[in-house]
PDB file of all heavy atoms in Angstrom:
ATOM      1  N   SER A 325      75.156  65.302-138.936  1.00  0.00           N
ATOM      2  CA  SER A 325      75.645  64.418-137.874  1.00  0.00           C
ATOM      3  C   SER A 325      74.522  63.982-136.937  1.00  0.00           C
ATOM      4  O   SER A 325      73.638  64.773-136.607  1.00  0.00           O
ATOM      5  CB  SER A 325      76.712  65.168-137.068  1.00  0.00           C
ATOM      6  OG  SER A 325      76.939  64.518-135.840  1.00  0.00           O
ATOM      7  N   PHE A 327      75.107  63.412-133.965  1.00  0.00           N
ATOM      8  CA  PHE A 327      75.546  63.853-132.633  1.00  0.00           C
ATOM      9  C   PHE A 327      75.207  65.315-132.348  1.00  0.00           C
ATOM     10  O   PHE A 327      74.980  65.682-131.206  1.00  0.00           O
ATOM     11  CB  PHE A 327      77.056  63.635-132.475  1.00  0.00           C
ATOM     12  CG  PHE A 327      77.438  62.192-132.305  1.00  0.00           C
ATOM     13  CD1 PHE A 327      77.571  61.364-133.409  1.00  0.00           C
ATOM     14  CD2 PHE A 327      77.653  61.651-131.042  1.00  0.00           C
ATOM     15  CE1 PHE A 327      77.911  60.008-133.262  1.00  0.00           C
ATOM     16  CE2 PHE A 327      77.994  60.315-130.877  1.00  0.00           C
ATOM     17  CZ  PHE A 327      78.122  59.489-131.988  1.00  0.00           C
ATOM     18  N   GLN A 328      75.220  66.159-133.403  1.00  0.00           N
ATOM     19  CA  GLN A 328      74.987  67.585-133.187  1.00  0.00           C
ATOM     20  C   GLN A 328      74.604  68.278-134.487  1.00  0.00           C
ATOM     21  O   GLN A 328      74.915  67.779-135.571  1.00  0.00           O
ATOM     22  CB  GLN A 328      76.255  68.241-132.631  1.00  0.00           C
ATOM     23  CG  GLN A 328      77.437  68.105-133.575  1.00  0.00           C
ATOM     24  CD  GLN A 328      78.695  68.785-133.038  1.00  0.00           C
ATOM     25  OE1 GLN A 328      78.626  69.674-132.203  1.00  0.00           O
ATOM     26  NE2 GLN A 328      79.831  68.341-133.513  1.00  0.00           N
ATOM     27  N   MET A 361      79.347  60.318-143.046  1.00  0.00           N
ATOM     28  CA  MET A 361      80.639  60.944-142.751  1.00  0.00           C
ATOM     29  C   MET A 361      80.561  61.819-141.494  1.00  0.00           C
ATOM     30  O   MET A 361      81.402  61.709-140.599  1.00  0.00           O
ATOM     31  CB  MET A 361      81.105  61.792-143.937  1.00  0.00           C
ATOM     32  CG  MET A 361      82.344  62.624-143.608  1.00  0.00           C
ATOM     33  SD  MET A 361      83.088  63.439-145.025  1.00  0.00           S
ATOM     34  CE  MET A 361      81.867  64.671-145.432  1.00  0.00           C
ATOM     35  N   ALA A 362      79.575  62.693-141.429  1.00  0.00           N
ATOM     36  CA  ALA A 362      79.475  63.627-140.296  1.00  0.00           C
ATOM     37  C   ALA A 362      79.279  62.867-138.984  1.00  0.00           C
ATOM     38  O   ALA A 362      79.879  63.219-137.956  1.00  0.00           O
ATOM     39  CB  ALA A 362      78.319  64.600-140.528  1.00  0.00           C
ATOM     40  N   THR A 363      78.471  61.822-139.015  1.00  0.00           N
ATOM     41  CA  THR A 363      78.200  61.042-137.801  1.00  0.00           C
ATOM     42  C   THR A 363      79.455  60.290-137.358  1.00  0.00           C
ATOM     43  O   THR A 363      79.807  60.294-136.168  1.00  0.00           O
ATOM     44  CB  THR A 363      77.026  60.059-138.059  1.00  0.00           C
ATOM     45  OG1 THR A 363      75.867  60.819-138.416  1.00  0.00           O
ATOM     46  CG2 THR A 363      76.722  59.221-136.826  1.00  0.00           C
ATOM     47  N   ALA A 364      80.151  59.675-138.316  1.00  0.00           N
ATOM     48  CA  ALA A 364      81.355  58.908-137.988  1.00  0.00           C
ATOM     49  C   ALA A 364      82.459  59.827-137.446  1.00  0.00           C
ATOM     50  O   ALA A 364      83.137  59.492-136.463  1.00  0.00           O
ATOM     51  CB  ALA A 364      81.848  58.153-139.222  1.00  0.00           C
ATOM     52  N   ILE A 365      82.627  60.991-138.056  1.00  0.00           N
ATOM     53  CA  ILE A 365      83.687  61.913-137.627  1.00  0.00           C
ATOM     54  C   ILE A 365      83.383  62.466-136.225  1.00  0.00           C
ATOM     55  O   ILE A 365      84.268  62.556-135.377  1.00  0.00           O
ATOM     56  CB  ILE A 365      83.900  63.026-138.679  1.00  0.00           C
ATOM     57  CG1 ILE A 365      84.644  62.428-139.898  1.00  0.00           C
ATOM     58  CG2 ILE A 365      84.684  64.209-138.090  1.00  0.00           C
ATOM     59  CD1 ILE A 365      84.867  63.396-141.053  1.00  0.00           C
ATOM     60  N   ASP A 366      82.130  62.798-135.968  1.00  0.00           N
ATOM     61  CA  ASP A 366      81.774  63.268-134.620  1.00  0.00           C
ATOM     62  C   ASP A 366      81.927  62.159-133.583  1.00  0.00           C
ATOM     63  O   ASP A 366      82.322  62.413-132.440  1.00  0.00           O
ATOM     64  CB  ASP A 366      80.350  63.826-134.590  1.00  0.00           C
ATOM     65  CG  ASP A 366      80.296  65.266-135.103  1.00  0.00           C
ATOM     66  OD1 ASP A 366      81.373  65.858-135.339  1.00  0.00           O
ATOM     67  OD2 ASP A 366      79.174  65.792-135.273  1.00  0.00           O
ATOM     68  N   ALA A 367      81.624  60.931-133.972  1.00  0.00           N
ATOM     69  CA  ALA A 367      81.791  59.793-133.054  1.00  0.00           C
ATOM     70  C   ALA A 367      83.259  59.649-132.677  1.00  0.00           C
ATOM     71  O   ALA A 367      83.602  59.482-131.501  1.00  0.00           O
ATOM     72  CB  ALA A 367      81.267  58.510-133.700  1.00  0.00           C
ATOM     73  N   ALA A 368      84.134  59.731-133.681  1.00  0.00           N
ATOM     74  CA  ALA A 368      85.576  59.625-133.417  1.00  0.00           C
ATOM     75  C   ALA A 368      86.030  60.766-132.506  1.00  0.00           C
ATOM     76  O   ALA A 368      86.804  60.553-131.568  1.00  0.00           O
ATOM     77  CB  ALA A 368      86.354  59.626-134.733  1.00  0.00           C
ATOM     78  N   ALA A 369      85.516  61.971-132.757  1.00  0.00           N
ATOM     79  CA  ALA A 369      85.882  63.141-131.933  1.00  0.00           C
ATOM     80  C   ALA A 369      85.402  62.966-130.495  1.00  0.00           C
ATOM     81  O   ALA A 369      86.023  63.473-129.558  1.00  0.00           O
ATOM     82  CB  ALA A 369      85.290  64.410-132.536  1.00  0.00           C
ATOM     83  N   ASP A 370      84.309  62.233-130.314  1.00  0.00           N
ATOM     84  CA  ASP A 370      83.776  61.991-128.968  1.00  0.00           C
ATOM     85  C   ASP A 370      84.465  60.815-128.275  1.00  0.00           C
ATOM     86  O   ASP A 370      84.059  60.421-127.175  1.00  0.00           O
ATOM     87  CB  ASP A 370      82.262  61.749-129.026  1.00  0.00           C
ATOM     88  CG  ASP A 370      81.473  63.070-129.064  1.00  0.00           C
ATOM     89  OD1 ASP A 370      82.076  64.134-128.812  1.00  0.00           O
ATOM     90  OD2 ASP A 370      80.260  63.027-129.353  1.00  0.00           O
TER      91      ASP A 370
END
Side-chain angles (χ1 to χ4, degrees):
S325 164
F327 287 82
Q328 60 179 338
M361 172 171 69
T363 300
I365 286 177
D366 279 353
D370 277 348

